[in-house]
Amino acid sequence: MEESLTRGIDEVFGLKERDWSQYSPLTLAYIGDDVYDLIIRTIFVKQANRQVNKLHRLTAQLVRAKTQAAIVAAILPDLTEEEAAVYRRGHNSNPHTIAKNASRREYLEATGFEALIGYLYLQRRNERLLTLTRTGLERIGMLPV
């Protein structure tokens, strides 16, 4: 796989490696939300040159909390012990907001998913992150092709 974006960011900005397992699950979810969003946006942009409002509508279906909750439910059996622990920490966190179109349970499951995505991204485990994302989207029947 190509050189990781995080490695390039680290080098250009002089950032040090951290023990990401010690980071707050909400901090991991904070970056994981954007990483997952970037993956989905990239898929749709590379599929076709579309109007931005259409891109937004397509993306919104896959990045909402309900879809993320479904994805994580579909991939839970595939997670390693380490990954499952990161997910549980995110799921058991105490976010101060809840998505307007999702239940509290769905929102917490989505937060756990985002924490896992953020953790894998920061660990530079991009292949694993992409494999889990693709597997989850396939299993819930929402793989954009």
Side-chain angles (χ1 to χ4, degrees):
M1 185 164 255
E2 298 256 341
E3 183 72 17
S4 99
L5 179 61
T6 54
R7 186 178 316 278
I9 293 169
D10 290 351
E11 289 174 6
V12 170
F13 292 95
L15 303 174
K16 296 178 183 170
E17 189 60 31
R18 305 280 184 205
D19 180 359
W20 304 114
S21 65
Q22 299 301 310
Y23 268 58
S24 152
L26 292 178
T27 299
L28 296 173
Y30 171 78
I31 196 161
D33 177 47
D34 284 334
V35 170
Y36 176 69
D37 187 71
L38 180 61
I39 292 166
I40 300 304
R41 286 176 184 233
T42 301
I43 292 167
F44 285 126
V45 166
K46 286 194 165 200
Q47 283 179 340
N49 186 13
R50 298 178 169 113
Q51 294 175 334
V52 174
N53 63 348
K54 183 165 184 160
L55 288 168
H56 176 73
R57 282 194 310 273
L58 290 167
T59 300
Q61 292 300 308
L62 297 182
V63 299
R64 64 188 183 148
K66 283 184 182 215
T67 303
Q68 290 180 1
I71 290 170
V72 78
I75 62 170
L76 269 175
D78 301 327
L79 300 184
T80 66
E81 287 183 34
E82 173 191 13
E83 293 164 349
V86 172
Y87 164 73
R88 281 192 304 276
R89 286 180 55 224
H91 179 274
N92 294 333
S93 64
N94 190 18
H96 298 289
T97 60
I98 298 293
K100 57 185 167 190
N101 295 318
S103 69
R104 179 164 176 76
R105 179 187 57 80
E106 290 168 329
Y107 189 76
L108 291 173
E109 289 169 355
T111 302
F113 174 70
E114 292 169 350
L116 174 61
I117 295 296
Y119 179 76
L120 292 171
Y121 169 74
L122 291 168
Q123 290 276 10
R124 299 183 184 133
R125 292 171 53 197
N126 295 330
E127 190 169 344
R128 178 66 174 159
L129 147 63
L130 294 171
T131 298
L132 287 173
T133 300
R134 182 183 175 95
T135 299
L137 288 167
E138 284 175 342
R139 289 183 183 164
I140 66 169
M142 294 187 78
L143 183 66
V145 286

